[in-house]
Amino acid sequence: MKFVIYGVGAIGGVLAARLALSGVEVAGIARGAQLEAIRKKGLKLRTPEAETVVKLEAVEDPEKLAFDAEDVIVLAMKTQDTPLALQRLRAAGVAGQAIVCAQNGVTNERFALRRFPNVYAMTVMMPATYVAAGEVNSFALPKAGVFDLGRYPTGSDVTAEKIAAALNAAGFDCVVDPEVMASKYGKLLLNLNNIIDAALPGGQGKNFAEAARAEAEAVYEAAGIVWKDVGATNQRRRELLQEKPIPGVSRVGSSTAQSLARHTGSIETDFLNGEIVLLGRLHDVPTPVNTYFSNLAQRLLGEKLKPGAITVAEVEREIAVAQAAAQAAKEASPLQ
């Protein structure tokens, strides 16, 4: 069983490095400076306990790899990049191999299942960063990450068990869960804070995060979506995923903040807060807070603003306007 990690960023980089160190055959698909750095010097993995450079095969496109039927392809790119990645996998002859969506949000699995029959969802709880090319940082002990894994949309099988066993041997804690999407919807609630964390100075977005989550929970109820708590109160996460400092390494915030810091040109907010906006529109539930932050993400990109560039006063003012407009629209609706 070979693991092909498609997207060697924070999550994909830690996965690739730890799997390779455990003796598993690993290939990475990367781009730009990250690809060049891995090819020249290997991938540097920093943890609270050690610093290791891992040599692994890295290519820029799936067509550069020879795929076997038993290979496991792990998608670790941002959601906005998934459709093109799936297209490139098709072009490379991938067909029945296991496709594991180790990504935030709940959209990637649907993208993948349109094209491939064997899709697995994986909820990823793993504090990791990628800011500099050729380097990834993993901040948790005693496990590097806590994962739930299952077939999409539901179920489990021998392949899922094999994937989980390989991940567990590599220093992660992976549990096979036939209802894995419940935990992915739970993780989505946490990820609503990504854009808030990125937009505002540290620690100043708590009230906005709570409001965004309240909207999401109302949307879930209206849509009949079942979700599982994977947050800080989850006992498994508390015991196995304890964040520790890495000497000499600063912890950049959410994956969205990391994307802004690296000036990648895109962020995944449309598939996080935007998912709540979509569900709200489908089920007639107002979502002014998540709508505001979805729009703000595009402003941050368009104006090339750095993380922490937006003030609390500005957000409060604009959300108040958005909430008033949403209430007025609701009162004017013929459905009321």
Side-chain angles (χ1 to χ4, degrees):
M1 176 187 289
K2 176 176 70 188
F3 278 78
V4 176
I5 310 299
Y6 201 160
V8 190
I11 300 303
V14 175
L15 284 168
R18 285 194 169 272
L19 283 166
L21 288 170
S22 74
V24 173
E25 184 181 359
V26 177
I29 304 173
R31 60 189 179 186
Q34 181 76 330
L35 174 64
E36 183 178 354
I38 294 171
R39 281 175 165 173
K40 286 184 176 180
K41 299 180 180 180
L43 180 62
K44 182 180 290 186
L45 171 66
R46 293 193 184 94
T47 75
E49 299 177 314
E51 183 176 297
T52 309
V53 176
V54 182
K55 297 291 186 179
L56 55 93
E57 180 182 11
V59 300
E60 69 273 18
D61 188 88
E63 287 192 323
K64 302 291 185 178
L65 294 174
F67 288 91
D68 294 327
E70 299 301 315
D71 288 349
V72 175
I73 301 164
V74 180
L75 304 184
M77 72 287 296
K78 298 295 191 297
T79 304
Q80 64 269 23
D81 297 322
T82 299
L84 179 57
L86 295 169
Q87 178 182 325
R88 297 310 306 153
L89 288 171
R90 257 184 170 177
V94 170
Q97 288 89 344
I99 308 290
V100 179
C101 297
Q103 301 159 285
N104 289 332
V106 293
T107 304
N108 298 285
E109 291 80 6
R110 287 178 62 86
F111 284 156
L113 198 62
R114 289 177 185 272
R115 298 161 175 86
F116 302 103
N118 295 311
V119 176
Y120 298 79
M122 190 162 85
T123 306
V124 176
M125 305 299 297
M126 183 162 68
T129 62
Y130 158 50
V131 178
E135 303 175 2
V136 291
N137 305 305
S138 175
F139 292 88
L141 294 172
K143 300 296 183 180
V146 171
F147 308 146
D148 293 336
L149 174 73
R151 280 192 69 93
Y152 180 77
T154 61
S156 62
D157 59 15
V158 173
T159 299
E161 296 288 351
K162 288 181 178 179
I163 295 170
L167 291 169
N168 287 329
F172 305 103
D173 182 75
C174 184
V175 172
V176 176
D177 182 355
E179 302 298 332
V180 65
M181 291 307 294
S183 68
K184 292 213 77 166
Y185 275 103
K187 175 73 183 298
L188 177 58
L189 293 177
L190 304 180
N191 289 139
L192 299 178
N193 191 48
N194 285 15
I195 182 61
I196 300 170
D197 166 76
L200 292 161
Q204 297 187 25
K206 184 174 183 292
N207 292 340
F208 306 124
E210 291 174 351
R213 179 178 177 126
E215 286 183 358
E217 291 186 11
V219 164
Y220 283 4
E221 183 176 0
I225 292 171
V226 176
W227 60 277
K228 182 171 75 174
D229 176 30
V230 295
T233 60
N234 180 279
Q235 183 176 353
R236 179 171 159 236
R237 177 181 172 182
R238 287 203 315 269
E239 292 177 353
L240 299 178
L241 205 64
Q242 299 172 20
E243 293 192 38
K244 305 291 183 181
I246 299 175
V249 177
S250 299
R251 174 78 195 276
V252 180
S254 68
S255 58
T256 300
Q258 293 174 49
S259 293
L260 288 174
R262 296 199 315 274
H263 302 291
T264 61
S266 67
I267 49 180
E268 61 184 336
T269 309
D270 279 345
F271 300 98
L272 302 176
N273 305 75
E275 181 73 25
I276 303 306
V277 174
L278 170 62
L279 288 169
R281 289 169 179 167
L282 289 172
H283 297 279
D284 197 31
V285 178
T287 59
V289 175
N290 284 287
T291 300
Y292 167 75
F293 281 108
S294 293
N295 293 333
L296 180 61
Q298 299 311 306
R299 178 187 161 197
L300 292 172
L301 288 174
E303 298 180 14
K304 298 182 180 179
L305 299 178
K306 295 180 179 180
I310 307 300
T311 66
V312 171
E314 178 181 351
V315 176
E316 288 177 337
R317 182 176 63 253
E318 296 192 8
I319 283 183
V321 172
Q323 289 173 327
Q327 182 62 32
K330 184 175 181 180
E331 292 172 355
S333 172
L335 299 177
Q336 300 303 315

